Amino acid sequence: MKNIFNNKYGFIKKSLIVSSLLVAVVSFNSCSDDFLNQPAYNSSDTESVFTNLETADAFVQGLYRGLVPTEMFYQLGAGDTVTHSAEDGSTNNSKYNICNYQYDAYTPNTVTGIYSAMYAVIERTNIAIDRLGDMAASSKRDALLAEAMAIRAFCYYNLIRVYGDVPAIWIPLEEADPNDPNTLYPKRASRDVIYDKVIADIQGSINNMPASNGTPERLNKQSTNALLAKIALYAAGYSLRWDLNTGAAGTMSRRPDNARIQQLYQIADTAAAAVINGGTNSLVQAQGGKSGFEALWFNFDRRNFSAVNQEMLWHIAEYGPNTNSAFGVYAHPGSRGGTYGSRKALQFILPSYYLSFNAADKRRDVATTSYSIYFLNTGLANDTWVDVGTTYSCIMSGKFRISWCVEPQAADARNLNIPIIRYADVLLMYAETQNYLNSGPTAAGIAALQQVRNRAGIGSLPIPSGQQAFESALVQERKWEFSDEFMLRTDLIRMNKLESEINATRQTMKNLSNRTGQFASTPVYRLYKYHKNTQVYGDPFLAVTYIDLTDPAQIAQVQAVPTNSSGYAAYQTTLKAIALANGQTSTADDKWYPANMFQAYTSTFNGNARKAVGFTAGFNQLQVGNIIYTKPTGSAENGGTYPNWIEGGGDGLFYGFVPNKTELLPFAAASAGHPLIDNPNLTQLPGY
């Protein structure tokens, strides 16, 4: 059977083998220069590749390439009630629509790349699993086999959490029966059957995984246990289910067999406990004047992996011209020219999330920034770049900020590895399984949550004692901890919290816009301290100093922005006095400028206020997609109505969300190359 596809489909085998081996040689150049000295294989024969463990290892390493398609972060990295889309032009673009759950099968407003990318990797894992099974048993062979199975499991986990029931393919194409119509045109299979298969694969092989694979860029026993816990929680959790035979509309529910649900939670609990009790992983703690959370992400961005790999159980290698992805280009503060180049941020942080953090929480100013990088005058080499304070409609993502990174090789290649599983995730998964299995939080589960909170600086916050209240606390903790790590959207689905979180966020944003409810006393004016950007990669700068103004007399003073430069010196004297009255001293060279946080960044007042520190006319913009930042947040600042990005017909937050429909994405059917066009045996998601 091995050569049955040689005539019509032989190109598949050759292209997969060549690409896998060549990719393997370059994928791990971030961790081992020695690997680059291996020969550049070009064999088109799968049997020759798997005649020795060295070439088999190279093939397995090549499986990691393409595991995180760009759509995972630029499409599905938003819409999670934390991160939102921001692009130029109108709100009628694919990223903004998908972020707001407005998608269909027949336009660009759907996600196609994840489907094709995952099945490309699945085909390669099937080849590896099949050929490794023919090799003589050894600890190395068994470890490679376990690694390939875990990678295949990760692919199916990605497919199911995006599309629901998907085709199940377990053997290489060249091994399949060409007379079986399901070979080239496979139908959807039950997600429960797929989950049970990949979970059993991991359970049966995990003891063959090494304690270390040389780098967390490859799976090892600890990270595979973490992956097992995650997949088991998804398998046990909620998802949009429908009858595959009738195509009747579905509902959000768990799988029907409760006994299996209990088993899956126990599997997740045992796997998470194995990581926790393994003794090799821990949370990154404070160091060098940085909080633990700041030290984690600063060192990760700097590729100082030795300082963070205790927490980063698994991250995908992305370094150099052959492996670099666009990851991190979309979610960052935005930069206009200078050393970092012009990098336009295409995502922003909802201010409801920014304002949700406890005052003591060290994570807020790491995960988010209230500044962007822009120049004062012309943008020429001798200009001054500024970390300029922003307003509530342009709070930016901060974990992968440009200035923390190593120097990239191109504007769309940030040299950022892609984080997949952290130890903090394991702790919160364990807290969740303990809560479920024991009908309420246990001492061990509380201790796991407490570790995450202690590192964040909010260990004194009360922890709920009831099962539902504890679960809700975990939902919020995951939001604070995992922003921009492209897991929150589907985590909310598996915990059956997406609809409630969407509705709560809509109302919270309306309250913020109206300054009612929890935001009744939220200050309108903020006084930012002028800060120059050093324009050096590795700049440890964290946050612009600011003062929230509440004193009516001080507010009246900052509102009196001079209309020409002759009044700027006196205005600065006034602002320094206000800063001093609020506990902030100033040097002779320090400058301050106010911002109306509820107006657009580009409002007349905010533009004039920045002129007081040197911004010239005409530079009242940011290197951020302009859908949002040019609009206000406040209803009073918008003529008494909500800005349309908060509440508007066809524009407001999550305007396309339809319960029991949009929790999953439809298969694309716009043209050739899309799943529903290429495979006539696929059925569409109900409602499309």
Side-chain angles (χ1 to χ4, degrees):
M1 291 293 291
K2 282 184 170 53
N3 296 316
I4 201 163
F5 282 90
N6 276 355
N7 294 330
K8 185 174 181 181
Y9 303 108
F11 72 94
I12 295 176
K13 178 171 70 173
K14 181 174 182 179
S15 64
L16 286 170
I17 298 305
V18 173
S19 64
S20 287
L21 287 172
L22 292 180
V23 164
V25 175
V26 300
S27 287
F28 286 86
N29 60 357
S30 58
C31 58
S32 175
D33 290 336
D34 293 338
F35 195 79
L36 293 176
N37 295 324
Q38 294 193 29
Y41 301 97
N42 60 8
S43 173
S44 63
D45 188 343
T46 57
E47 283 77 9
S48 67
V49 171
F50 289 94
T51 55
N52 67 79
L53 290 174
E54 182 183 43
T55 53
D57 192 330
F59 187 96
V60 171
Q61 291 195 50
L63 301 178
Y64 288 89
R65 186 70 183 273
L67 276 182
V68 183
T70 304
E71 287 179 330
M72 292 298 295
F73 45 86
Y74 89 76
Q75 297 279 39
L76 300 184
D80 54 9
T81 73
V82 171
T83 302
H84 216 62
S85 178
E87 277 205 85
D88 290 327
S90 71
T91 55
N92 187 27
N93 63 70
S94 63
K95 296 180 187 64
Y96 192 79
N97 285 327
I98 289 175
C99 168
N100 285 287
Y101 298 86
Q102 178 65 37
Y103 34 69
D104 59 54
Y106 307 103
T107 72
N109 295 338
T110 189
V111 171
T112 297
I114 294 172
Y115 185 91
S116 57
M118 290 302 96
Y119 279 111
V121 179
I122 286 170
E123 171 65 13
R124 297 200 300 271
T125 61
N126 287 341
I127 291 172
I129 292 166
D130 181 73
R131 300 296 180 264
L132 285 165
D134 293 336
M135 296 181 71
S138 68
S139 59
K140 177 64 175 177
R141 191 287 308 258
D142 294 346
L144 292 174
L145 188 58
E147 190 174 3
M149 286 182 174
I151 293 171
R152 183 172 68 180
F154 179 72
C155 291
Y156 277 116
Y157 148 81
N158 279 335
L159 286 166
I160 292 171
R161 67 190 180 119
V162 174
Y163 303 108
D165 300 313
V166 294
I169 303 172
W170 306 111
I171 60 174
L173 180 62
E174 63 180 3
E175 297 285 347
D177 181 358
N179 297 313
D180 184 349
N182 202 49
T183 294
L184 293 180
Y185 304 116
K187 299 177 181 179
R188 289 186 190 256
S190 165
R191 73 197 70 181
D192 298 332
V193 172
I194 296 173
Y195 271 140
D196 287 349
K197 162 69 173 169
V198 299
I199 287 170
D201 284 345
I202 296 177
Q203 286 182 298
S205 63
I206 193 167
N207 287 332
N208 296 327
M209 291 292 287
S212 172
N213 234 333
T215 168
E217 293 170 340
R218 292 184 73 173
L219 287 161
N220 57 29
K221 190 171 185 178
Q222 290 285 85
S223 54
T224 302
N225 260 317
L227 178 61
L228 174 60
K230 184 176 287 289
I231 293 175
L233 279 176
Y234 271 80
Y238 287 84
S239 57
L240 176 57
R241 294 170 173 271
W242 70 97
D243 190 317
L244 286 178
N245 294 318
T246 66
T251 59
M252 286 293 296
S253 59
R254 297 184 191 270
R255 60 194 296 162
D257 45 339
N258 187 63
R260 180 57 176 165
I261 293 172
Q262 295 292 319
Q263 289 177 353
L264 289 166
Y265 270 99
Q266 187 60 62
I267 290 169
D269 184 81
T270 301
V275 179
I276 293 169
N277 297 327
T280 60
N281 297 101
S282 60
L283 298 177
V284 172
Q285 299 298 329
Q287 53 187 261
K290 295 179 172 62
S291 70
F293 200 69
E294 181 184 355
L296 167 68
W297 291 108
F298 179 79
N299 283 294
F300 184 77
D301 292 353
R302 295 299 301 154
R303 305 189 64 81
N304 183 17
F305 296 141
S306 63
V308 301
N309 279 344
Q310 68 200 74
E311 179 166 350
M312 289 287 183
L313 276 80
W314 183 24
H315 47 100
I316 302 296
E318 295 288 337
Y319 187 74
N322 295 309
T323 61
N324 218 305
S325 76
F327 175 67
V329 172
Y330 297 91
H332 61 88
S335 170
R336 178 68 170 176
T339 297
Y340 314 127
S342 290
R343 312 288 181 81
K344 181 166 286 189
L346 298 179
Q347 294 173 344
F348 78 110
I349 298 293
L350 289 176
S352 54
Y353 176 72
Y354 174 78
L355 293 169
S356 73
F357 285 89
N358 183 277
D361 201 320
K362 305 295 185 184
R363 292 174 293 195
R364 188 198 71 171
D365 287 341
V366 177
T368 73
T369 77
S370 59
Y371 73 85
S372 186
I373 304 168
Y374 211 79
F375 52 78
L376 284 180
N377 297 303
T378 62
L380 297 178
N382 61 349
D383 205 344
T384 299
W385 271 261
V386 180
D387 294 308
V388 58
T390 59
T391 62
Y392 284 143
S393 58
C394 45
I395 302 296
M396 308 307 297
S397 301
K399 285 179 179 174
F400 310 108
R401 62 192 75 189
I402 294 168
S403 54
W404 282 3
C405 295
V406 297
E407 185 171 0
Q409 296 180 343
D412 61 350
R414 291 275 300 284
N415 289 343
L416 280 163
N417 272 17
I418 302 176
I420 303 296
I421 302 179
R422 295 197 278 119
Y423 186 64
D425 195 0
V426 175
L427 289 171
L428 294 184
M429 287 192 292
Y430 183 65
E432 182 180 346
T433 58
Q434 285 285 294
N435 184 54
Y436 181 88
L437 291 169
N438 296 281
S439 300
T442 62
I446 290 172
L449 171 59
Q450 195 69 46
Q451 279 194 57
V452 176
R453 287 189 169 183
N454 287 344
R455 198 261 298 270
I458 58 170
S460 62
L461 289 185
I463 293 179
S465 58
Q467 183 178 14
Q468 292 303 314
F470 189 79
E471 184 181 79
S472 295
L474 290 176
V475 170
Q476 183 59 63
E477 202 68 39
R478 294 188 73 84
K479 289 172 71 172
W480 285 331
E481 184 74 22
F482 299 120
S483 63
D484 292 318
E485 295 180 57
F486 44 91
M487 68 171 77
L488 291 179
R489 181 167 169 150
T490 54
D491 272 350
L492 290 175
I493 292 171
R494 73 164 179 81
M495 299 178 82
N496 202 25
K497 298 292 185 181
L498 182 63
E499 182 179 5
S500 60
E501 286 293 309
I502 280 177
N503 290 336
T505 301
R506 284 168 168 164
Q507 187 58 54
T508 300
M509 283 300 302
K510 291 178 182 178
N511 291 348
L512 177 61
S513 187
N514 289 334
R515 295 195 284 282
T516 57
Q518 67 269 52
F519 304 111
S521 58
T522 300
V524 174
Y525 288 91
R526 178 176 286 188
L527 193 59
Y528 280 113
K529 189 174 185 178
Y530 174 73
H531 185 270
K532 295 180 182 179
N533 186 278
T534 63
Q535 292 289 291
V536 175
Y537 284 103
D539 176 14
F541 176 71
L542 178 64
V544 176
T545 300
Y546 69 86
I547 301 165
D548 280 330
L549 299 176
T550 57
D551 184 289
Q554 294 177 350
I555 292 172
Q557 288 177 303
V558 303
Q559 287 176 325
V561 179
T563 57
N564 57 68
S565 59
S566 63
Y568 289 160
Y571 188 57
Q572 281 300 319
T573 299
T574 299
L575 297 183
K576 287 181 179 180
I578 293 173
L580 183 61
N582 285 274
Q584 292 284 343
T585 59
S586 302
T587 68
D589 294 331
D590 284 340
K591 297 178 182 179
W592 296 82
Y593 56 100
N596 183 313
M597 297 299 290
F598 287 84
Q599 290 180 3
Y601 178 87
T602 54
S603 73
T604 299
F605 173 82
N606 286 329
N608 287 337
R610 286 189 294 274
K611 290 179 185 177
V613 293
F615 277 87
T616 56
F619 294 97
N620 195 25
Q621 55 186 308
L622 293 175
Q623 192 67 355
V624 179
N626 63 19
I627 287 179
I628 305 298
Y629 89 90
T630 58
K631 297 177 174 63
T633 298
S635 57
E637 290 76 13
N638 193 55
T641 62
Y642 296 119
N644 64 353
W645 67 275
I646 294 175
E647 176 69 21
D651 290 302
L653 287 174
F654 315 118
Y655 60 87
F657 179 72
V658 177
N660 298 315
K661 177 182 177 183
T662 53
E663 291 89 353
L664 291 173
L665 280 92
F667 285 142
S671 60
H674 288 174
L676 214 63
I677 297 295
D678 291 351
N679 185 350
N681 282 340
L682 281 182
T683 56
Q684 186 56 283
L685 185 69
Y688 292 90

